[in-house]
Amino acid sequence: MSGSAKHEDAARPSAIARFGRTELDVLVMGITYAAIILFVGNGGAVFSKTIIAAQGLGFGPDRLLSTALLLNIAIVMFGWTRYGKLHAELNEHRQAEEVARQLAETDPLTGCLNRRSMRQATENLIEGATGRGEAVAVIMIDIDKFKLINDINGHAVGDRLLCECAERSRLLLPPGALLARLGGDEFACVVPFNPRRPEQIDHFAAALIRSVSAPMSVAGYEGHVTASLGISRSDGVRQPGDLMPADPQATPATPDHLLHMADIAMYQAKKQGRNQYLWFEGEMATELRYRNELENAIRLGIAEHEFVPYYEQQIDLLSGELVGFEMLARWQSPKLGMIGPEVFIPIAEEIGVIGELSESVIAQALHDARDWHPRLTLSVNISPVQLRDPWFAQKILKMLVAANFPPNRLDIEITESSLHQNIAGVHALITSLKNQGVGISLDDFGTGYSSLAQLRNLPFDRLKIDRSFVMSMVKDKDSASIVQIISSLGESFGLPMTAEGIESPEILEKLSTIGKFKGQGYLYGKPAPAADVVSMLAVRKLLVVDAGAGRSLGTGDGKDVVPGSLRRSA
Ligand code: C2E
Ligand code: MG
Ligand code: MG
């Protein structure tokens, strides 16, 4: 139950009790008024008779009347006391209701309005602003990488940090504006403004970003956070450079609609590098819709086995022999056509399905590779997200056992950029895989700034020189020098090397002057589906062929020397 609901419930029984007592109190007050009237009617006669009797000038008042008067006085006093108490009680209830209302409307951590009350308050602001010929800007604020800060420093620090951000924002609020916390690290400001002067909102947004990102010292946390902002306006979409509202006649948007638009703009601000604000523009919604469709299609595609392995040949450049294949995932989407990994891998990582996707294509690849000659290896790529999975090594071993595939024929490629995160975890993972006989290569070397210490400490079996250097090494001297340097580095660490991106015989020739490499690239053919690989291996007699109950080997008699290899070109 939410805090506000709890408080509403707490207020409810007292309201019911008050209702019962109110009827009683009306009765009490009625009797008291009757007593007062009787007192006024009787009192004069009884008092005057009492005074006359006290002076010895006559008889005292009638006994019955005196008793009635005393009773009257008692009732009046009782009524009066009850009236005082009732008054105090009413005040108490009023205060309790005020507290309950406030708690129901505000966020208990930061004291800002909560999402529910913000909606109503925004509606009122829009109504007021429209009446005055003004507009309202809804500014969505999200702290960048807050989850990470929270996880690393603990929730107590996270909470203090949110309070500090709320306080800093509150101090900047223009008159008539409101600040709400929508949940987690999401805040929203609603600011009325002159639609002809949207730059007021630009200034406010820039000031908010500056203020939130100033150094912070809270609960032992010393550092700074940044925020991304998205802005929508109640009178239409803002075009860049506009001084006029897009459509002054447009019906003002609803609070939910405005929040949604601001949210889309905020998402774009994050995507474009964070720590900035963006106004909502129409195309953003289209892009977001496309992105949502893509996410759903990826999820569905995994279930429907639309992700398939393609294979790129890996060649021993000295002998020209085919030594194995790198598996590269492809998405055969019935709706979108053939899609490459550069598109779907980052999305799959972000929406948390990369593990599932990767395991499905690796399992297919292990199954395919069982039919290849046993000297042919299979390389697979691993996302940095998978490296954080503590069960990853076990999952790979389970797949190897399920496919009955020898671990020493499997090579796992880890990109250089993934070494920056969780180096201890990566070390443990590599060691555990290597202990089972699986090979580990450092992929895309030269692009990720790994340190020499990492190269020495992490037990890699191979370095793969990034294709960007190899592809351009004939035309670009710098690239050639980089390949040269990486080659010397590999040699001094005793690490064998693979050059990626061999596109032409000239590149191959140049590589032969630098060192000993394995290689891969379009010169040897583009990545191909499993069936094409089988046909190619069948021609070269590099397939394991089913012969009755047992399996026998093709001869692999050297006829697999491929065009463009060093042996041929030598
Ligand atoms: P990578 O591991 O460096 O793979 C090599 C990429 O270079 C492949 O692109 C390949 O098609 C391309 N390539 C090979 N030879 C040449 C050439 O001569 N010239 C040019 N211009 N390009 C060449 P692809 O298939 O688009 O893969 C891109 C990246 O996506 C891969 O880079 C790899 O990091 C990643 N990837 C592919 N499949 C998977 C997967 O199953 N899981 C994960 N986590 N990543 C994958
Ligand atoms: Mg690779
Ligand atoms: Mg690579």
Side-chain angles (χ1 to χ4, degrees):
M1 187 193 287
S2 73
S4 57
K6 239 190 280 174
H7 286 289
E8 275 167 15
D9 279 0
R12 204 167 297 136
S14 62
I16 293 166
R18 201 183 70 211
F19 176 74
R21 246 184 285 150
T22 306
E23 288 176 329
L24 194 70
D25 285 326
V26 168
L27 192 66
V28 168
M29 291 320 283
I31 293 171
T32 308
Y33 281 127
I36 290 171
I37 292 166
L38 277 175
F39 175 76
V40 172
N42 262 345
V46 173
F47 277 130
S48 57
K49 282 193 177 166
T50 308
I51 292 166
I52 289 168
Q55 291 170 342
L57 301 173
F59 296 108
D62 182 74
R63 229 169 211 283
L64 197 66
L65 278 181
S66 309
T67 314
L69 186 71
L70 287 175
L71 203 62
N72 270 355
I73 293 171
I75 292 173
V76 169
M77 281 170 68
F78 170 72
W80 188 251
T81 323
R82 182 68 206 129
Y83 176 74
K85 277 195 185 149
L86 194 65
H87 204 67
E89 241 175 65
L90 274 176
N91 276 343
E92 230 171 72
H93 281 306
R94 246 180 236 131
Q95 278 169 8
E97 267 172 15
E98 180 60 21
V99 170
R101 189 186 60 78
Q102 265 186 12
L103 285 168
E105 286 181 356
T106 55
D107 162 50
L109 179 68
T110 59
C112 298
L113 292 184
N114 59 23
R115 183 185 278 272
R116 198 166 52 142
S117 56
M118 181 238 174
R119 193 177 292 139
Q120 182 58 50
T122 307
E123 236 166 56
N124 298 344
L125 280 185
I126 296 175
E127 209 179 296
T130 315
R132 295 190 301 274
E134 287 189 343
V136 157
V138 171
I139 306 174
M140 186 80 130
I141 308 167
D142 190 282
I143 315 290
D144 296 328
K145 300 192 176 170
F146 180 74
K147 187 179 173 324
L148 196 70
I149 300 171
N150 219 17
D151 288 349
I152 293 175
N153 301 286
H155 288 218
V157 169
D159 282 359
R160 291 294 313 128
L161 222 131
L162 289 174
C163 291
E164 180 69 21
C165 289
E167 197 46 43
R168 290 181 183 193
S169 309
R170 201 179 281 127
L171 288 174
L172 292 171
L173 277 190
L178 64 85
L179 176 67
R181 177 170 174 232
L182 305 179
D185 61 334
E186 263 184 10
F187 294 88
C189 279
V190 186
V191 191
F193 71 106
N194 178 348
R196 285 164 205 280
R197 298 198 52 209
E199 69 276 9
Q200 293 172 333
I201 300 298
D202 289 276
H203 294 154
F204 173 59
L208 267 180
I209 289 178
R210 261 198 316 276
S211 166
V212 168
S213 64
M216 255 184 212
S217 168
V218 290
Y221 172 81
E222 301 278 343
H224 80 285
V225 295
T226 57
S228 300
L229 276 57
I231 312 174
S232 60
R233 58 189 285 171
S234 57
D235 59 343
V237 174
R238 182 189 197 249
Q239 303 303 327
D242 249 8
L243 290 180
M244 290 287 288
D247 181 5
Q249 304 303 319
T251 330
T254 64
D256 282 343
H257 187 205
L258 281 170
L259 263 181
H260 183 59
M261 290 192 289
D263 196 33
I264 291 173
M266 190 269 291
Y267 172 78
Q268 286 294 329
K270 290 231 179 234
K271 209 174 136 197
Q272 292 185 19
R274 306 188 176 92
N275 195 25
Q276 59 183 303
Y277 70 88
L278 284 180
W279 286 84
F280 172 81
E281 286 167 24
E283 307 84 70
M284 290 179 180
T286 318
E287 196 187 320
L288 192 80
R289 211 171 306 125
Y290 176 67
R291 159 85 192 207
N292 282 342
E293 273 172 23
L294 214 53
E295 286 181 10
N296 292 336
I298 288 175
R299 287 202 172 90
L300 192 73
I302 296 173
E304 300 287 327
H305 306 290
E306 290 166 16
F307 293 88
V308 293
Y310 268 49
Y311 299 96
E312 180 170 311
Q313 299 178 46
Q314 295 179 316
I315 310 294
D316 177 358
L317 297 189
L318 209 60
S319 66
E321 274 184 1
L322 177 70
V323 289
F325 292 90
E326 175 176 2
M327 187 274 280
L328 297 158
R330 296 288 180 266
W331 179 17
Q332 289 176 330
S333 161
K335 238 173 141 188
L336 306 162
M338 182 69 98
I339 296 179
E342 314 281 18
V343 175
F344 63 79
I345 298 272
I347 301 176
E349 287 176 343
E350 221 172 284
I351 62 175
V353 296
I354 184 66
E356 217 180 315
L357 190 160
S358 178
E359 282 156 35
S360 105
V361 279
I362 292 177
Q364 292 176 63
L366 288 172
H367 185 265
D368 292 342
R370 275 197 326 173
D371 295 338
W372 306 344
H373 192 284
R375 76 168 161 80
L376 297 178
T377 56
L378 169 71
S379 298
V380 296
N381 293 281
I382 293 304
S383 148
V385 177
Q386 289 172 284
L387 290 180
R388 291 201 290 268
D389 176 0
W391 299 106
F392 180 71
Q394 273 83 345
K395 284 178 184 168
I396 289 285
L397 295 172
K398 207 170 144 199
M399 280 193 272
L400 283 167
V401 171
N404 194 19
F405 192 82
N408 60 1
R409 284 181 62 198
L410 180 68
D411 187 65
I412 289 188
E413 299 190 2
I414 296 175
T415 54
E416 198 189 6
S417 50
S418 59
L419 296 185
H420 298 298
Q421 308 152 17
N422 183 23
I423 195 77
V426 174
H427 193 279
L429 182 82
I430 294 181
T431 312
S432 123
L433 285 168
K434 274 184 66 91
N435 287 342
Q436 308 295 327
V438 176
I440 311 285
S441 296
L442 183 55
D443 199 2
D444 299 347
F445 188 72
T447 56
Y449 312 103
S450 57
S451 70
L452 291 180
Q454 279 170 349
L455 267 192
R456 202 187 54 211
N457 294 335
L458 292 170
F460 293 110
D461 297 299
R462 174 170 293 278
L463 274 190
K464 292 189 75 177
I465 308 175
D466 190 65
R467 64 184 187 272
S468 59
F469 306 119
V470 179
M471 276 156 52
S472 57
M473 66 187 287
V474 173
K475 291 188 191 118
D476 180 6
K477 273 194 178 143
D478 290 345
S479 296
S481 310
I482 290 171
V483 174
Q484 175 83 59
I485 292 165
I486 295 177
S487 166
S488 325
L489 198 71
E491 259 172 45
S492 55
F493 279 106
L495 282 173
M497 278 163 293
T498 297
E500 302 175 325
I502 306 175
E503 287 187 335
S504 65
E506 292 76 31
I507 296 176
L508 187 64
E509 201 62 52
K510 183 113 188 144
L511 279 171
S512 72
T513 64
I514 294 179
K516 270 204 277 180
F517 299 97
K518 281 187 184 172
Q520 55 186 91
Y522 292 169
L523 179 64
Y524 306 102
K526 296 215 166 161
D532 291 8
V533 170
V534 166
S535 312
M536 187 252 272
L537 293 180
V539 171
R540 297 186 192 175
K541 300 205 167 49
L542 285 172
L543 270 191
V544 176
V545 260
D546 274 318
R551 305 185 109 205
S552 65
L553 290 176
T555 54
D557 51 9
K559 288 196 186 129
D560 61 305
V561 173
V562 287
S565 70
L566 283 183
R567 206 162 79 173
R568 282 196 73 195
S569 63

